[in-house]
Amino acid sequence: MTIPNLITLIRILLTPVLIWLLLDARLGEALAVFFVAGVTDGLDGFIARVFHQKSRLGAYLDPLADKLLLVSSFILLGHLDLLPDWLVIITVSRDALIVIGVLTLMFHQVPVAIHPSLLSKLTTLVQILTVMAILAAPYFSPLLWVTQGLISATAAFSVASGLHYIVYGLRLWDAARNGDKEQA
């Protein structure tokens, strides 16, 4: 177990705490927990790269931790009417599509390397910033256009990266099928 993997596990363990705080509408405390979780997201990747502690487990755990944290946040912020339903549907559908796609490819024994694209990393960053802005709104009164801009950016990046992963998955599928035909 590497240090980055332990940090990722902390993010996973913070998710139920965040859910509990959001269900109780304790936005200030939820903001603090989400901030710490967001910092761990950057910290685990930084340590893994700088200290050469990348691992196969980390390649699976890190995106799983992101999905748990962000999907939970978006669903609950939508439930609290702090995010528009359409944005919740876009972000959750994108993540569900990615998970279903990876599982489908694995089920059909198509090799899948878990390496988030730059577009996916930017999507995660914009989603994190959006959640933080929504949670911080009662305390820092961000300008409406900043929050609206983040919501629009989250939608655009989520759709773009979702389409990117669909294309990537179809390419993997085609390569595996064409490889099977060549071997037959």
Side-chain angles (χ1 to χ4, degrees):
M1 181 70 66
T2 65
I3 291 172
N5 291 347
L6 289 173
I7 293 170
T8 301
L9 285 175
I10 290 169
R11 186 162 69 255
I12 290 171
L13 294 173
L14 286 173
T15 300
V17 176
L18 178 71
I19 291 169
W20 169 59
L21 293 170
L22 288 173
L23 286 172
D24 277 355
R26 294 163 55 185
L27 300 184
E29 294 166 73
L31 174 61
V33 169
F34 190 85
F35 179 78
V36 170
V39 168
T40 67
D41 187 30
L43 187 61
D44 62 4
F46 174 77
I47 292 172
R49 282 187 300 281
V50 170
F51 296 102
H52 308 289
Q53 293 189 5
K54 290 183 180 182
S55 70
R56 183 178 168 132
L57 176 62
Y60 286 93
L61 272 184
D62 187 62
L64 174 66
D66 290 343
K67 290 190 184 340
L68 287 172
L69 181 72
L70 288 168
V71 166
S72 300
S73 297
F74 274 83
I75 289 172
L76 289 168
L77 291 173
H79 174 73
L80 294 170
D81 291 324
L82 296 173
L83 279 175
D85 292 341
W86 59 265
L87 183 64
V88 175
I89 291 167
I90 288 171
T91 57
V92 172
S93 296
R94 170 201 174 258
D95 285 344
L97 184 70
I98 291 169
V99 170
I100 290 168
V102 168
L103 291 175
T104 300
L105 291 171
M106 292 173 116
F107 178 78
H108 289 283
Q109 298 177 345
V110 175
V112 180
I114 306 294
H115 298 292
S117 67
L118 176 60
L119 182 57
S120 180
K121 289 179 181 183
L122 290 172
T123 301
T124 299
L125 175 63
V126 172
Q127 288 178 347
I128 288 171
L129 292 174
T130 299
V131 172
M132 288 189 63
I134 295 298
L135 291 173
Y139 306 100
F140 299 109
S141 302
L143 299 173
L144 179 62
W145 64 271
V146 172
T147 304
Q148 289 302 319
L150 283 169
I151 287 171
S152 297
T154 296
F157 274 95
S158 296
V159 169
S161 68
L163 292 173
H164 167 78
Y165 277 122
I166 289 171
V167 169
Y168 177 69
L170 291 173
R171 285 184 184 158
L172 289 175
W173 179 265
D174 286 342
R177 288 183 53 139
N178 289 336
D180 289 343
K181 289 179 184 176
E182 291 173 9
Q183 293 176 1

